[in-house]
Amino acid sequence: MLDKERIKALPKIELHCHLDGSIPIATLEKLAKKENLPLEQLQKAVAPKKCLDLKEYLESFDIILPLLQSEENLSIAAYDLIEQVSKENICYIEIRFAPLLHQQNNLSIGQIISAVLQGIYAAQKKFDVHANLLISAMRHHTEKQNFDLITGIKNLNIAAIVGFDFAGDEQQVSNQEIKQSVLLAINSGLKLTLHSGECGCAQNVIEAIHLGATRIGHGIAIKDSLPAMQYCADNNILLELCPTSNIQTNAIRNWQDYPLRLFLENGVKCCINTDNRTVSQTTLTDEYLLLAKHCSLNFSEMMQLNLNAVNGCFAKEEVKLQLIHKIKQSYDQYIKKSDLL
């Protein structure tokens, strides 16, 4: 049976983790003191356990983003996130963030990305975590802003930047409206994951796949559409599920309605993620523990969810092979034991 200590000890993969939403509270306090901002405001950095909707959930970032407007603070945040995930044996993580949200003090795209990478590289010298970056564009930004962002990324030519994402309100700005920016990102050699079907409908997910996404951020809206589930299964699309976040934003009403079993039964590939560790007050260990409790997740299924993440991640093939070996070797002992019970 899955328990917290064993879940924590087993190697895990995370593909959907926002930097700004996952900075440890202690780090936020340190940055707030440094910037002479009132500490009591940080209470709002943690979203309510049950929000009215995604909009209320996202209000937490209004408190966090002012703390992430300098190169030093961005480096600190990235370092402390890697340190945090190392404590629960996350051996590979793709960290996503939106550089355009960190320009209040006129930092360039290059300065912002370099600062985050500096923190990651420093942490990787100390902690056994392989990390890559996903750059997020925002749906509410103009096409020119996002074009300039993509061009800037391309000119930087940094190997650790492995993918591109669009975040933001999919109900206000449709996938069709971001089509040209997405095509530019793909033509620039970036692999694509898109936030879709988090608060919209199943059709948003289908549109995202048509645009070139091989992974979908959240995607839970397909639970209401058997054809959409079949389409995802047939096209080997990976859903980046974020259970606590989905329930917190009211995308899913409660744990009884969480569609993990439905997806597994219909051959939809999924992986498990935190979304925003601090805003949602969760860890990847907590996410798996909740799935064990509410969705009867077992060792074999947990291994498969992590293998799905490896196969769908944007790392180099040699990194994927190493991760697959590590996961199979670590989980096999528990799977064999549970088979004997």
Side-chain angles (χ1 to χ4, degrees):
M1 182 179 174
L2 285 168
D3 61 77
K4 188 165 188 173
E5 288 310 307
R6 277 185 278 199
I7 292 171
K8 187 176 181 179
L10 284 164
K12 292 172 289 296
I13 313 296
E14 181 158 21
L15 303 184
H16 193 120
C17 180
H18 292 269
L19 173 63
D20 48 0
S22 300
I23 303 165
I25 284 290
T27 304
L28 290 177
E29 289 174 351
K30 179 169 62 177
L31 297 180
K33 288 176 184 174
K34 183 169 172 282
E35 301 298 327
N36 293 316
L37 294 173
L39 290 179
E40 58 267 21
Q41 282 191 6
L42 294 180
Q43 294 173 2
K44 297 177 184 174
V46 177
K49 287 191 178 296
K50 196 67 171 173
C51 300
L52 292 172
D53 50 26
L54 180 61
K55 184 175 179 292
E56 184 182 10
Y57 179 83
L58 294 176
E59 288 172 2
S60 294
F61 293 90
D62 296 338
I63 305 301
I64 298 167
L65 283 171
L67 301 172
L68 298 174
Q69 301 301 325
S70 73
E71 291 172 273
E72 183 181 23
N73 288 6
L74 285 164
S75 293
I76 290 169
Y79 182 98
D80 286 3
L81 174 55
I82 296 292
E83 180 177 13
Q84 178 185 201
V85 304
S86 73
K87 292 175 182 176
E88 54 167 337
N89 200 11
I90 291 177
C91 49
Y92 177 82
I93 186 169
E94 289 179 0
I95 301 169
R96 64 185 71 194
F97 83 113
L100 294 182
L101 298 179
H102 303 280
Q103 292 190 305
Q104 292 175 17
N105 294 335
N106 298 314
L107 292 177
S108 69
I109 297 300
Q111 286 175 307
I112 292 163
I113 291 174
S114 295
V116 171
L117 286 171
Q118 184 179 342
I120 289 172
Y121 294 153
Q124 287 182 136
K125 290 177 182 176
K126 189 170 181 182
F127 307 107
D128 187 19
V129 180
H130 191 116
N132 279 322
L133 268 187
L134 303 179
I135 301 299
S136 294
M138 301 302 296
R139 290 177 185 266
H140 69 271
H141 286 148
T142 66
E143 190 173 79
K144 183 185 184 307
Q145 284 177 299
N146 288 326
F147 269 36
D148 290 345
L149 172 63
I150 296 162
T151 303
I153 297 165
K154 186 178 179 181
N155 291 339
L156 288 171
N157 193 28
I158 295 170
I161 299 175
V162 294
F164 193 75
D165 168 42
F166 252 100
D169 193 337
E170 63 186 293
Q171 292 179 312
Q172 294 298 316
V173 182
S174 72
N175 284 331
Q176 288 307 311
E177 292 175 79
I178 63 171
K179 182 176 181 178
Q180 295 307 314
S181 296
V182 166
L183 290 175
L184 181 61
I186 292 172
N187 291 334
S188 299
L190 293 167
K191 295 179 180 176
L192 186 67
T193 175
L194 289 178
H195 279 71
S196 284
E198 179 180 13
C199 56
C201 63
Q203 184 57 31
N204 290 7
V205 175
I206 303 302
E207 287 176 0
I209 297 166
H210 288 166
L211 286 179
T214 56
R215 287 170 21 197
I216 301 294
H218 302 286
I220 51 169
I222 68 168
K223 69 182 176 58
D224 299 318
S225 170
L226 189 58
M229 284 191 278
Q230 190 64 54
Y231 189 81
C232 287
D234 291 346
N235 288 277
N236 200 33
I237 301 300
L238 180 66
L239 299 190
E240 304 162 354
L241 298 182
C242 306
T244 294
S245 172
N246 296 151
I247 291 169
Q248 200 170 7
T249 62
N250 257 333
I252 300 292
R253 188 172 47 186
N254 52 45
W255 277 105
Q256 287 68 41
D257 293 338
Y258 204 76
L260 178 65
R261 282 270 150 231
L262 180 67
F263 291 158
L264 295 179
E265 289 162 8
N266 283 279
V268 178
K269 285 191 169 62
C270 309
C271 64
I272 307 303
N273 309 272
T274 60
D275 198 12
N276 297 288
R277 292 167 165 266
T278 301
V279 174
S280 286
Q281 285 290 277
T282 191
T283 66
L284 199 53
T285 300
D286 291 336
E287 296 298 310
Y288 279 112
L289 189 62
L290 286 164
L291 291 171
K293 178 181 178 181
H294 296 289
C295 302
S296 302
L297 191 75
N298 60 37
F299 283 110
S300 182
E301 290 164 338
M302 183 179 169
M303 180 177 77
Q304 190 57 54
L305 289 167
N306 279 281
L307 290 174
N308 289 347
V310 174
N311 288 321
C313 80
F314 296 154
K316 292 178 180 178
E317 286 304 313
E318 56 264 36
V319 174
K320 289 187 179 188
L321 290 174
Q322 291 167 6
L323 293 170
I324 288 169
H325 175 74
K326 186 171 189 174
I327 288 168
K328 286 185 173 179
Q329 192 176 45
S330 300
Y331 282 74
D332 271 353
Q333 57 176 316
Y334 292 113
I335 292 169
K336 286 171 184 173
K337 283 179 185 176
S338 62
D339 287 344
L340 294 173
L341 296 176

